[in-house]
Amino acid sequence: MTTSTRAGSGANAVLAVAPAAPAEAAAHFAARLASYTDVSDVAAALSAGADPGFVLLDSRSTESWEQGHVPGAVHLPTALIPGRAEQLLDRSVPVVTYCWGPGCDGAARAALALALLGYPVKEMLGGIEYWIREGFEIETGTGPGAGPQGTGRRERREPDPLTTPRASASCGC
C-alpha cells in the first residue's frame, strides 16, 4: 500500500476508516451470511428438483402477493406471523423471507418476528424486485391453493443486464 492510500491518511473516503482486522472481517461476513441469502442462490435451490431444506415466505400484503410472487412461496403477511406461523411453518425447517425489494424492510421485520417465535430464518436480499430483474419465473393470481401448489398464471421477464450476467445462470461468485 502506498503512503497516499494508507488507511487513515484521508487520501480517500474508502480508506478514511481502516479495514477491519481479518479475524473481525471473517466474523462479520460469517454472521452476515448466516442471516442473508440472495435470489440467485434461492432460485438455484428451488430449481434443483429436491427439497431445498427451507420454506420461502412472502411477507407482503395479499394485493402484492396476487400481483406476483415466487412460485412455491408461502404467503404470510408480517402482521399475521404471530397468529398464523405455527399453523403454516415447522420450527425445524429454516424460513427465508422476502418482500418487495432493497428499499423495503418488510422481509427484515418478518424475519425478526419469526426469530422471536423460535424459527431459524434468513432474509432474501433484493426481494421480489431482484427475483424479477434476474429473470426468474413469477406466479400471479390467487385462490385456494395459491402458493406451493399454485393456481395462478406463470410468467418470466427478460433479465435486467444491470443485475445479472447475460451469458450464464450464475454470477460465478
Side-chain angles (χ1 to χ4, degrees), residues 4-168:
S4 63
T5 61
R6 184 167 291 128
S9 69
N12 65 57
V14 173
L15 298 174
V17 174
E24 286 179 69
H28 166 78
F29 290 114
R32 189 173 186 278
L33 290 171
S35 298
Y36 301 106
T37 188
D38 63 46
V39 297
S40 294
D41 289 345
V42 171
L46 292 176
S47 67
D51 177 359
F54 62 86
V55 171
L56 185 60
L57 187 142
D58 185 319
S59 64
R60 300 172 303 142
S61 68
T62 299
E63 181 180 76
S64 298
W65 166 267
E66 292 170 0
Q67 188 174 329
H69 55 271
V70 176
V74 170
H75 182 229
L76 183 57
T78 302
L80 302 179
I81 288 173
R84 298 208 44 221
E86 202 166 290
Q87 300 162 10
L88 297 172
L89 304 170
D90 179 342
R91 278 193 176 83
S92 69
V93 178
V95 179
V96 176
T97 63
Y98 75 89
C99 62
W100 274 110
C104 177
D105 279 337
R109 285 191 292 275
L112 174 60
L114 290 163
L116 291 171
L117 293 172
Y119 291 89
V121 65
K122 286 188 173 199
E123 177 185 354
M124 183 176 80
L125 296 173
I128 192 75
E129 175 188 346
Y130 275 74
W131 184 272
I132 293 167
R133 290 180 79 178
E134 291 192 21
F136 299 120
E137 188 174 66
I138 62 166
E139 185 173 63
T140 60
T142 61
Q149 299 80 25
T151 59
R153 183 175 60 88
R154 292 196 177 197
E155 64 182 70
R156 184 183 311 263
R157 298 180 186 163
E158 284 297 312
D160 180 342
L162 297 176
T163 64
T164 191
R166 292 176 197 221
S168 172

